[in-house]
Amino acid sequence: MPASSAATIAARTPAIMLQGTGSDVGKSLLVAGLGRAYARRGLAVRPFKPQNMSNNAAVTADGGEIGRAQALQARACRLAPSVDMNPVLLKPQSEVGAQLVVQGRAIGNVAARDYRRQAADLLPRVLESFARISHGADLVLIEGAGSPAEINLRQGDIANMGFAEAANVPVVLIGDIDRGGVIASLTGTVSLLGAGERARLKGFVINKFRGDPALFADGMAAIEARTGLRALGLVPWFAEAARLPAEDAASLDSRRYGDGEPRAIRIAVPRLPRIANFDDLDPLAAEPDVSLALVAPGRPLPHDADVVLLAGSKATRADLVALYAEGWDIDIRAHARRGGRVIGLCGGYQMLGREVRDPDGIEGSPGATPGLGLLDVTTTLSKSKTLGEISARDARSEQFVRGYEIHTGVTTGPGCARPFLVLEGRAEGATSGNGLVAGCYLHGLFAADGWRRAFLDAIRRARGMAGGPAMVAYDAEIDAVLDRLADHLTRAIDLDRLLEIARAR
């Protein structure tokens, strides 16, 4: 399609942008729930986030990567994810730098101060993706990032008002009442915006409310009076949000796996600084007899765990150093000597080997870092990145799984002669001689209901348990939660008014 035609379509497609008073106010979840609600009305709905910062990524069918939240939103809209849904993705590798992914492809690493200068140059690519997403859509739901009140970042902004002005889309402001100070955060955000930006605001929504909504009627009126914005909804707390894949590691601070009750099977996951794609944990946490402990720094790994699971990492060598600093290497080796199971996924798999080499400085300074030595393999990081959706079967149980690869580096060694999986005819991963330590690059492994059941049943048999509860249908449950979220938002938000705002742009 010619660029001029695409721009014309984008200009007239109904669209609305949700911006927040801060990070983690629930924008991602609201876009997902609204997407499902409008899709159930028969509308062709598309999610869009101009810029995201997250190490929780998803792989698209064409081998690109986007934020995991946009993949969930696509699913809510009953669509396959597309790289155009999240054209700019920043994947933090250190406190001051990140890998930059543009329209699904990693184009290099960038320091925070350099990215601020570079972001404005990415706006044409962002608008290009927005135009493609708009084609054939009845409604585009756009998610901002952070807050438009971060006026120190306004110049070159493509994530909030900078995009809204360039694409000429109306904005609804989201406030989180659960963290407190919601009246001040909403009125303060509005006061910090320029006159043109304030004119773009068409209303506000209060999210994460607990208690009797009638008790906040005066608060809603006060916000309307002080901002001139229309109240579009007061959304009660949605406890089932914890059952949906989280957007990024910031949400782990408030995320709780399990309910504190003792469970039959205990799985421990060290929370490393650059943990990535941790939605791999969610299907395990959904099992009624599984207790999944995300172990915070400063605490030892529980000695009674059945499984220690090392999740993905955006900076394997740096996370290995952090693991050693916590003494978790001692806990993991002791766990393995006791006959406990250890599973490593992607970066966690690399950590289980003898060494992680980085001759080209992909993750930082060139060099090598000793691994845990529980698998007889070595990883060499490289500039090339493996991305793709994969079908596989377990080399032992013969259970089939589907997932995706998203990693840099090649892992080789004698341990690979005992593969964990067979991916489309090729061996993948490695296992120890006794089969209790294993690793692979496949994300989404535990989402396969049959494989997850076989894995947990092996633990149950080893402990002499008669059997487990009924198998959880994980994918079906995610869709059911999205439907309940849509019902929840339909009751709380004026969806007709939102649609009117989107169509009046």
Side-chain angles (χ1 to χ4, degrees), residues 14-20 27 30-31 34 46 48-51 126 130 139-148 157-174 200-205 232 498 501-503 505:
I16 192 166
M17 188 172 194
L18 305 189
Q19 296 183 16
K27 300 184 295 292
L30 290 176
V31 169
L34 291 171
R46 307 284 186 268
F48 185 76
K49 184 162 185 171
Q51 174 191 297
V126 170
F130 178 60
L139 174 65
V140 180
L141 296 171
I142 308 162
E143 179 189 344
S147 169
D157 167 57
I158 62 172
N160 290 301
M161 283 299 178
F163 172 80
E165 291 187 338
N168 190 29
V169 293
V171 175
V172 170
L173 198 56
I174 312 300
R200 196 164 293 282
L201 295 174
K202 303 303 179 184
F204 70 91
V205 171
L232 298 172
L498 281 184
I501 293 169
R503 287 176 172 171
R505 60 179 286 228

Side-chain angles (χ1 to χ4, degrees), residues 134 260 313 344:
S134 298
S313 168

Side-chain angles (χ1 to χ4, degrees), residues 138-216:
D138 297 319
L139 174 65
V140 180
L141 296 171
I142 308 162
E143 179 189 344
S147 169
E150 295 159 352
I151 54 177
N152 58 309
L153 303 178
R154 179 61 180 88
Q155 187 173 358
D157 167 57
I158 62 172
N160 290 301
M161 283 299 178
F163 172 80
E165 291 187 338
N168 190 29
V169 293
V171 175
V172 170
L173 198 56
I174 312 300
D176 176 2
I177 197 169
D178 190 57
R179 65 178 63 186
V182 72
I183 296 175
S185 64
L186 280 164
T187 57
T189 296
V190 173
S191 71
L192 286 169
L193 300 178
E197 294 170 332
R198 288 196 298 272
R200 196 164 293 282
L201 295 174
K202 303 303 179 184
F204 70 91
V205 171
I206 302 291
N207 197 22
K208 305 182 187 179
F209 183 81
R210 302 176 192 255
D212 182 355
L215 298 178
F216 196 65

